[in-house]
Amino acid sequence: MTTALKHDAGLTLGLSQAELRQAGALATAKEISQQPELWRTLLDGFEQETAGLLPWLTTVLQQPGLRVILTGAGTSAYIGQALAPFLQQQLGSQVQVLALATTDLVSHPQLYLAGDQPVLLVSYGRSGNSPESVAAARIVRQLHPDSHHLVLSCNADGKLANMAAGDAATQLWLMPADANDQSFAMTSSYSCMLFATMLLFGADKMQASRMIALSQHLLQHSVPRLKSLSAHNCDRIVFLGSGPLQAVARELALKYLELTAGQIPSFYETALGFRHGPKSLVNQTTQIVLLDALSPYSRRYDMDMQQELCQDQQALSVQLCSELLDTDLLPDDDSWLCFPYALCGQLLAFFKAIELGISPDNPCPAGLVNRVVQGVTIYPLIER
């Protein structure tokens, strides 16, 4: 799709190349920092890249009773979870939007694929080689032979990408080459597939451009603050987010767990849900990051939670993500906060890993957890 980007010392997050190499962090630093540039590439090339895809998608979306299933495994599943509310708003009540992890779909397909509704499966995959992602596509086609399949992937040679070859019912949108993260954790790949889908389903391009500027400002001005926050002596961390930001909170909890090699347990919840039991985990070494909404009604609940946590004086720290953003560039829709807030969590995890002496590029060198999941046996589906 696009050629590799040219990177320079500006993508080192305040650390020298030598420091990043020594820490095993060079790839992750580049992949976090490059994201606004990659989003700009997607935005600028949108018309050309989707010239054949958009007419196909428009026709598919006109099917009465269509069910759109957003699927992936791990981080790729959280893309769909963040997008589902936005897509439901864009598509209206005539289309049902469902975010469903491949790990659920493959193990219990009959629970989710019953009935004869037309199906559009939207698959997300950095490598496109996860066993569950490939199996999910085959199972949907087996149970719904007339289904359509849209693949967003970062790997032109992956199995998901290859499914699109010569199949009129399947379309592929390949992300920019640099979105195929080489480090262990998904960063660029996650945000690019999320951003591309919003564009594809009619996102406001002016808001998209504004979000890119907001995220660039964050990288230029808030990295020292995030590095300082990561230095807090926490032994657990909680990400709180509601609405579309709940899925981002879930992704950031995973990112923190991955990059710290599980040394610091991480959790996620909604602001309202946190009181219903999970708040019990807060102690003097608990760091809390609140992915606060900007829409006035929803924000009230986030601010109530912040005030309560501060009054309790139990947490190590409570940080509002919005305080790290340029107030002159704030978006009109909370869905756009997914991107700068994701950057905040990625950077917190990145700096904490370095502090702990863990390589962000390869936090699990023993291979017990892998960049592309291994050890999965896929069993043939027996229809009843």
Side-chain angles (χ1 to χ4, degrees), residues 127-129 151 153 155-167 170 172:
S127 70
N129 289 322
V151 175
S153 184
N155 181 16
D157 299 319
K159 293 178 181 178
L160 281 180
N162 288 333
M163 283 184 171
D167 181 5
T170 302
L172 167 69

Side-chain angles (χ1 to χ4, degrees), residues 59-331:
T59 300
V60 172
L61 292 176
Q62 290 172 350
Q63 298 177 91
L66 178 68
R67 182 167 36 161
V68 177
I69 300 176
L70 309 172
T71 194
T75 290
S76 293
Y78 307 155
I79 296 172
Q81 291 172 12
L83 283 167
F86 173 82
L87 263 61
Q88 192 66 74
Q89 279 189 320
Q90 294 295 105
L91 297 175
S93 60
Q94 301 305 309
V95 174
Q96 177 191 6
V97 179
L98 173 66
L100 178 63
T102 58
T103 47
D104 293 327
L105 194 157
V106 169
S107 65
H108 290 78
Q110 306 288 2
L111 291 180
Y112 304 107
L113 296 172
D116 57 359
Q117 285 179 270
V119 171
L120 169 61
L121 183 71
V122 182
S123 293
Y124 300 103
R126 173 172 62 174
S127 70
N129 289 322
S130 294
E132 302 96 336
S133 296
V134 176
R138 290 174 177 162
I139 288 171
V140 169
R141 185 60 58 88
Q142 181 177 344
L143 295 179
H144 292 267
D146 296 329
S147 62
H148 292 82
H149 190 193
L150 172 61
V151 175
L152 287 90
S153 184
C154 305
N155 181 16
D157 299 319
K159 293 178 181 178
L160 281 180
N162 288 333
M163 283 184 171
D167 181 5
T170 302
Q171 290 286 316
L172 167 69
W173 189 3
L174 194 64
M175 298 297 99
D178 279 341
N180 188 10
D181 304 314
Q182 297 307 298
S183 54
F184 175 82
M186 291 176 63
T187 53
S188 291
S189 50
Y190 163 78
S191 65
C192 281
M193 290 187 283
L194 179 64
F195 184 69
T197 308
M198 289 183 68
L199 293 179
L200 195 58
F201 284 85
D204 185 328
K205 294 181 178 58
M206 289 296 293
Q207 285 291 309
S209 187
R210 188 179 180 87
M211 181 279 296
I212 293 171
L214 177 66
S215 299
Q216 288 171 330
H217 187 276
L218 171 71
L219 286 170
Q220 291 165 1
H221 298 280
S222 297
V223 169
R225 173 62 178 153
L226 286 160
K227 186 176 182 180
S228 176
L229 284 170
S230 74
H232 287 187
N233 189 26
C234 67
D235 65 11
R236 63 188 71 172
I237 189 167
V238 181
F239 295 91
L240 299 177
S242 305
L245 301 175
Q246 179 184 7
V248 181
R250 185 175 188 179
E251 159 59 11
L252 296 183
L254 173 62
K255 206 58 49 197
Y256 205 95
L257 193 70
E258 288 178 328
L259 291 189
T260 62
Q263 288 194 23
I264 301 179
S266 55
F267 306 85
Y268 80 96
E269 245 304 345
T270 62
L272 286 175
F274 197 48
R275 295 185 183 90
H276 292 262
K279 192 183 170 194
S280 303
L281 64 83
V282 178
N283 62 20
Q284 295 294 324
T285 57
T286 304
Q287 191 167 7
I288 297 176
V289 180
L290 185 52
L291 283 64
D292 48 314
L294 296 180
S295 56
Y297 175 79
S298 302
R299 185 173 179 78
R300 292 178 180 178
Y301 295 105
D302 293 332
M303 294 302 96
D304 284 351
M305 176 51 65
Q306 183 214 23
Q307 182 178 9
E308 180 177 321
L309 289 167
C310 292
Q311 289 176 344
D312 290 345
Q313 296 185 346
Q314 292 298 307
L316 174 64
S317 64
V318 181
Q319 177 65 49
L320 293 176
C321 282
S322 66
E323 292 178 347
L324 302 166
L325 304 182
D326 182 352
T327 56
D328 292 332
L329 293 171
L330 294 178

Side-chain angles (χ1 to χ4, degrees), residues 1 42-59 150 171-174 199-200 205:
M1 170 186 169
L42 285 166
L43 181 59
D44 291 346
F46 177 73
E47 301 298 336
Q48 179 180 353
E49 292 293 336
T50 60
L53 173 56
L54 277 174
W56 176 90
L57 180 61
T58 299
T59 300
L150 172 61
Q171 290 286 316
L172 167 69
W173 189 3
L174 194 64
L199 293 179
L200 195 58
K205 294 181 178 58

